Amino acid sequence: MKKDWKYILYISAAFGLFVVVKLLSPKQYNWNVTYSHEDKNPFGAFALNELLPSLFSEKGIRHSYKTIYEMRDSLRNRENILIVCSNFSGGKEDSDVLLGHVAGGGTAFISAQYFLGHFADTLGLQTYDSFFNGGDIFKTKDSTVLKFSNISLDTTQLYFYRRDNIHNYFNRFDTTRTTVIASNDKHQPVTIRMKWGRGNFILNSTPLAFTNIYLLANKNNEFLSKTLSYLPAGPVEWTEFYHMGRMEIGTPLRFVLTNEPLRWAYYLTIAALFLFMIFEMKRKQKIIPVIEPLANTTLDFVTTIGNLYYQSAEHKNIAEKKIQFFIEQVRTRYWLNANQRDKVFIETLARKSGKPEEDVKRLMDVISAIQAKKVISKEELIEFNKQMENFNS
């Protein structure tokens, strides 16, 4: 018992030392871009999630990690769809559901640096990276400005951001159905409203502007609220699939593993239990005798009986037994009656088994020929066996 206390003391001291180090060390921020409504790190969307209830009804905001196609049956009429991601490349199925929902009177707000795939092709959209493709990285200022272009809003208010985060704009769109809402300091459109059927798409090319680090700076939250004012009052479906993926099917420990204190506590607990098991095993584990399992002699028995028939030249008997096995196999696997080997049976068996119809017909002919004879030769038995192996392969 005294030895057990020694190990417990070592583990407790190591755990206490780790807690003290973590408490005294400076807080480390995670700079990964997540756009997650639960993430309080700089590039998370916790602030956006907190601001949404002031713009829409709190009960009307739903979060999910589903694709637009998976949401098709749950989408309500004129419901707003919210998507914030780095790249939006909706496939044909997702795009068709999204376009149909908006055409029926719904509104979709999508903020992404790049619009790709079937969705972009249908709307004629294209974004451009002015920072990395413009050739003037070292000549431009460190900060950029966003402002509203629509005269219905305050076009004099400026919103400041880092240029290396806010540098995409729309360089191609259908001007006949599009209104520019906001632009950058180079008068390049970053937010547009595109009419589609009875609804509208509100598209934005600067998703980082809606992350925590910028929404909490100066008056940048006004840029969000005025942009989302183009969405009609009503329920909002915010899907994070297009950046976070399908997180709801992850491990049940996702909440523990995504919180650093809980994650380290979990790891230390597992490590302590592992060490305890090792020490206990070294002191108390006895040798476990190896008990050989009973040998399965069924296969040897079948082989012996088969050799006995073969050496006795009972080729017809062997073939009859293989035919009976084949009939039972067809009945249990394909739910067919192999005793009626007509044209319909051959076509059905070929379709279900995936074998060519000619091979199936050839096998049926061989079976019929064997059953019609009283005695068959060794060569006929070998040929029949090859046909059976070819069918079962």
Side-chain angles (χ1 to χ4, degrees), residues 84-321:
V84 181
C85 57
S86 295
N87 306 310
F88 183 74
S89 55
K92 186 177 186 307
E93 294 79 7
D94 289 353
S95 300
D96 289 343
V97 173
L98 180 58
L99 293 169
H101 176 72
V102 173
T107 304
F109 174 80
I110 306 176
S111 181
Q113 292 177 318
Y114 298 97
F115 292 84
L116 309 167
H118 183 76
F119 178 78
D121 294 339
T122 303
L123 297 184
L125 285 176
Q126 184 176 345
T127 56
Y128 188 80
D129 190 331
S130 62
F131 187 71
F132 292 102
N133 298 328
D136 57 350
I137 298 179
F138 303 103
K139 298 179 183 179
T140 55
K141 297 179 180 180
D142 292 338
S143 62
T144 186
V145 170
L146 299 184
K147 62 178 181 178
F148 290 102
S149 303
N150 196 329
I151 58 175
S152 63
L153 300 173
D154 185 0
T155 59
T156 62
Q157 178 65 48
L158 304 180
Y159 305 96
F160 293 89
Y161 305 87
R162 285 177 57 93
R163 188 176 296 276
D164 57 353
N165 290 150
I166 309 296
H167 45 77
N168 287 63
Y169 67 93
F170 292 99
N171 66 328
R172 183 167 64 88
F173 52 85
D174 187 354
T175 57
T176 61
R177 65 171 75 223
T178 303
T179 302
V180 176
I181 297 176
S183 57
N184 57 22
D185 54 350
K186 296 182 179 181
H187 306 289
Q188 298 161 336
V190 297
T191 306
I192 60 176
R193 177 176 63 180
M194 182 173 291
K195 186 70 176 175
W196 189 264
R198 292 183 292 171
N200 294 282
F201 284 103
I202 311 299
L203 305 175
N204 174 268
S205 62
T206 59
L208 290 177
F210 305 116
T211 55
N212 300 327
I213 191 172
Y214 289 119
L215 285 181
L216 300 177
N218 302 321
K219 296 183 178 180
N220 290 344
N221 62 305
E222 292 182 1
F223 183 77
L224 166 69
S225 60
K226 291 180 180 179
T227 300
L228 294 184
S229 66
Y230 281 88
L231 275 67
V236 177
E237 181 79 28
W238 182 357
T239 174
E240 300 180 56
F241 171 82
Y242 297 96
H243 192 85
M244 300 295 294
R246 202 179 306 278
M247 291 191 65
E248 70 269 20
I249 61 172
T251 170
L253 294 173
R254 179 168 61 88
F255 177 78
V256 173
L257 298 179
T258 53
N259 291 271
E260 186 176 7
L262 295 178
R263 181 171 68 248
W264 279 106
Y266 174 74
Y267 291 155
L268 286 173
T269 302
I270 296 298
L273 290 174
F274 181 71
L275 290 174
F276 179 77
M277 290 173 60
I278 290 178
F279 289 127
E280 288 294 304
M281 179 179 63
K282 290 176 61 178
R283 294 190 303 112
K284 299 180 179 180
Q285 182 65 55
K286 297 180 180 179
I287 298 176
I288 300 176
V290 178
I291 301 176
E292 294 291 338
L294 296 175
N296 187 355
T297 58
T298 303
L299 185 61
D300 295 337
F301 176 75
V302 172
T303 303
T304 302
I305 296 299
N307 290 334
L308 180 62
Y309 276 113
Y310 187 76
Q311 293 171 2
S312 302
E314 296 187 25
H315 304 139
K316 168 74 173 181
N317 199 344
I318 296 175
E320 286 288 353
K321 286 179 169 52

